[in-house]
Amino acid sequence: MTGHGSSGGGWGQPPYGSGGSSGGGGNPWAVPGTPSAPKKRNGGLIAAILAAALVAGGVGGGIGYWAAGRDGSSSTTVSASGDAGALNRKPTSVAGIAQKALPSVVTIEAQGVTGEGGTGTGFVYDKQGHILTNNHVVASAAGGGRLTATFSNGKKYDVEVIGRAQGYDVAVIKLKNASDATLNPLPLGKSSAVQVGDATIAIGAPFGLSGTVTTGIVSAKDRPVASSDGGGTSASYMSALQTDASINPGNSGGPLLDAAGNVIGINSAIQSAGNGGMGPESSQSGSIGLGFAIPIDQAKRVAQDLIKTGKPVYPQIGVQVAMRDTGGGATIAQTGNNGSDAVAPNGPADKAGLKPGDTITKLDSTVIDSGPTLISEIWRHKPGDTVTLTFERAGKEHTTQVTLGQRTGDK
């Protein structure tokens, strides 16, 4: 599957067969014919005929009761009481949370200038009409195409892109001419407080089916995920929340809620069983219970930068590392791209004493097993934060503190 389009195909009907009458054999409930009376009547024969009549009467009576029990006037079915209070629809139930959240979730349709596009999801971020979603949901229409957002009540609005962060896979869009829109921002939780096993609720438009609600749990935290934008031109990195709530093409950009209805993440990527790859759910075949969401703590910070300046801000340490090696850490390259320095002169890593060939194995207490993991962990922080890096050089382990620098905008 490509883009964010909904898959086609109709809804098949199950092969319900209708049972026909069985042939032959006659009526199994029929009473055999009574033989002709003999010329000589005696008590024994009369008793036998009487017994046969009683048997026939008993069978007939049983059939009559059996048929009456299936007559509409004598149904044995039990009707529900209709008491809605017997159902768990309290405000803290899944039904209660969904009822409150659905009016604040929108289905986004993107149409590029060359015809490409698809469907994704977003949610109301503030009362000014800003909508938070994934970059890959709106990327196809960002260069002059058309974007629309449709609410659960059917109202559709044109939207404009306020800012995009390709590396974080976060975008902020804003409704146009939405003076009549009812804007109830979803409450933002704290992804840092999430625990494995916490209940989750995902809302989105899988395969274009708007307003779909699925449930699950937080399967893991701080899961390093690197995914392409669907077009293979850029990559995004996240230290993701993993969930088994069903996430499919079209869920991208939708909220991942906790059991209190607070947003703890933005649904963004799934693991595919087909090719073993990781990527935006729009480019994958379907859910196998491995979904990934951008933690809302990070997404909120990115959104604030995009609303303020229209550009993302990335923390960095000023090194270029190998991106394909896994398991042993993140090794700083000997030379950078196009012959540049792999350790930026006078950059944060240079000031901290890191050199080409060093292998970074930890950031604070988090084990670093690859270049993407290092980037994902760095991007959890803000420029100016100080982190402790553990690295290996010539077989010996060292530690150093690095104050993160920053880069503004996507390259």
Side-chain angles (χ1 to χ4, degrees), residues 167-168 237 298 301 314-315 375-381 407:
Y168 294 121
Y237 302 92
Q298 176 179 320
R301 174 173 55 82
Y314 298 93
I375 296 174
S376 298
E377 286 300 314
I378 290 174
W379 285 0
R380 292 179 61 190
H381 295 79
R407 169 172 62 86

Side-chain angles (χ1 to χ4, degrees), residues 291-387:
F292 302 93
I294 302 166
I296 196 60
D297 293 353
Q298 176 179 320
K300 179 181 178 180
R301 174 173 55 82
V302 176
Q304 290 171 340
D305 288 336
L306 294 177
I307 292 172
K308 184 177 180 180
T309 67
K311 296 181 179 180
V313 176
Y314 298 93
Q316 62 177 9
I317 62 173
V319 299
Q320 296 183 40
V321 297
M323 300 301 289
R324 297 184 180 276
D325 296 337
T326 60
T331 301
I332 301 175
Q334 293 294 337
T335 58
N337 296 330
N338 301 319
S340 63
D341 293 315
V343 178
N346 206 35
D350 187 30
K351 292 179 179 179
L354 289 166
K355 299 181 181 300
D358 290 346
T359 299
I360 299 171
T361 58
K362 278 187 180 181
L363 189 153
D364 292 332
S365 61
T366 301
V367 174
I368 302 300
D369 59 3
S370 66
T373 301
L374 176 63
I375 296 174
S376 298
E377 286 300 314
I378 290 174
W379 285 0
R380 292 179 61 190
H381 295 79
K382 302 185 301 295
D385 288 350
T386 298
V387 299

Side-chain angles (χ1 to χ4, degrees), residues 194-290:
V194 168
Q195 295 296 324
V196 173
D198 285 353
T200 58
I201 302 170
I203 303 180
F207 297 102
L209 300 173
S210 302
T212 296
V213 178
T214 55
T215 63
I217 62 169
V218 175
S219 304
K221 294 174 57 178
D222 304 329
R223 187 73 81 190
V225 172
S227 65
S228 70
D229 62 358
T233 57
S234 65
S236 62
Y237 302 92
M238 66 183 104
S239 185
L241 296 175
Q242 180 182 326
T243 181
D244 65 346
S246 184
I247 297 174
N248 287 287
N251 273 107
S252 267
L256 184 69
L257 309 174
D258 63 16
N262 303 313
V263 180
I264 56 173
I266 301 176
N267 299 317
S268 181
I270 63 175
Q271 176 76 34
S272 172
N275 58 18
M278 192 88 68
E281 47 69 25
S282 58
S283 66
Q284 306 297 309
S285 59
S287 174
I288 59 171
L290 292 173

Side-chain angles (χ1 to χ4, degrees), residues 27-97:
N27 186 350
W29 299 104
V31 179
T34 303
S36 300
K39 293 180 180 180
K40 183 179 179 181
R41 300 170 63 90
N42 57 54
L45 183 58
I46 293 173
I49 295 173
L50 179 60
L54 289 174
V55 171
V59 172
I63 295 299
Y65 180 80
W66 178 84
R70 282 150 180 77
D71 185 81
S73 61
S74 303
S75 175
T76 59
T77 60
V78 178
S79 298
S81 65
D83 181 11
L87 301 174
N88 182 17
R89 291 177 180 166
K90 297 178 181 179
T92 54
S93 69
V94 173
I97 292 171

